[in-house]
Amino acid sequence: CLMQSEMIAWFIKAGIVYQDIKNHKKAIEDFNKGAEIDPTYPEIYYLRGISKVELGKLGQGNYQEAIEDFLYA
């Protein structure tokens, strides 16, 4: 069984891979899963904010949500 910190690291790494291939919706899903495990982990919110900005550029995201993630991080 993975420890909590290992699970968070796995979701962050998976999210970054999705970011690299421009699949920001899947990246956000993985970052959300990491945030469910530990909602106080700042890197998750920073990375999720980046994906939300990228979706916003495509007209599919919400910049206000991205700003909230950056402020939380």
Side-chain angles (χ1 to χ4, degrees), residues 3 6 11 20 23 27 40 46 48 52 55 61-63:
M3 294 177 54
E6 291 173 324
F11 284 120
D20 288 345
N23 189 339
T40 65
Y46 173 76
R48 188 173 72 179
K52 288 179 179 179
L55 286 177
N62 183 327
Y63 285 117

Side-chain angles (χ1 to χ4, degrees), residues 5-52:
S5 61
E6 291 173 324
M7 290 177 64
I8 293 169
W10 189 90
F11 284 120
I12 288 173
K13 289 176 185 176
I16 290 170
V17 169
Y18 282 122
Q19 284 180 328
D20 288 345
I21 62 170
K22 310 294 186 222
N23 189 339
H24 293 286
K25 289 182 181 181
K26 292 293 279 183
I28 290 169
E29 288 178 16
D30 279 337
F31 297 139
N32 287 344
K33 290 174 186 172
E36 288 175 16
I37 297 167
D38 184 354
T40 65
Y41 205 89
E43 185 179 5
I44 293 169
Y45 296 94
Y46 173 76
L47 292 167
R48 188 173 72 179
I50 290 171
S51 283
K52 288 179 179 179

